[in-house]
Amino acid sequence: MATKAYELYGVPTAPEDPEQEYMTVQETAYVLMCSVSWLRRFLREHDALCGRNGRRGRIITNREQRAAIHATRSAGDPRTGRSVPRQRRPRRTAVKTSVAA
């Protein structure tokens, strides 16, 4: 069962206007079609792609930052230099040979 905090802050929500200047993390995740937890981890690593609002530090993004997040995300897997991460293949099990008696 999800907690009350998760239901408030962990679920992507549709913005009133998808073209508005500033959006919260939940609205940005909805527009970019990703999870809120992934977006928070991404923004923690890339401080320049988000802003803070108010004393409590609510994370907001503007149009340019959302475009940069999308471009970074669409660039592919930076660990291997591939444009798309490789699909995992199922492991082959070793073939047992029977010993002739």
Side-chain angles (χ1 to χ4, degrees):
M1 183 172 167
T3 63
K4 192 173 212 171
Y6 176 79
E7 290 175 359
L8 286 175
Y9 305 113
V11 178
T13 58
E16 292 179 15
D17 179 21
E19 295 297 321
Q20 65 191 11
E21 180 67 26
Y22 295 100
M23 290 187 189
T24 63
V25 174
Q26 293 83 9
E27 293 169 340
T28 303
Y30 183 86
V31 170
L32 295 176
M33 290 186 263
C34 63
S35 69
V36 175
S37 60
W38 179 87
L39 185 59
R40 286 184 186 275
R41 283 193 310 269
F42 180 82
L43 293 176
R44 191 178 307 131
E45 295 171 3
H46 302 89
D47 291 337
L49 296 180
C50 69
R52 302 268 178 188
N53 184 13
R55 283 188 352 197
R56 297 186 67 185
R58 185 174 192 168
I59 299 172
I60 57 172
T61 59
N62 62 21
R63 287 185 187 135
E64 293 82 21
Q65 291 167 338
R66 287 191 297 274
I69 293 168
H70 176 71
T72 304
R73 185 174 164 213
S74 299
D77 191 1
R79 296 168 293 179
T80 59
R82 292 187 179 95
S83 60
V84 178
R86 186 181 296 182
Q87 297 292 323
R88 291 183 180 247
R89 296 181 185 167
R91 286 188 175 186
R92 290 186 169 179
T93 57
V95 178
K96 293 184 179 181
T97 57
S98 59
V99 178

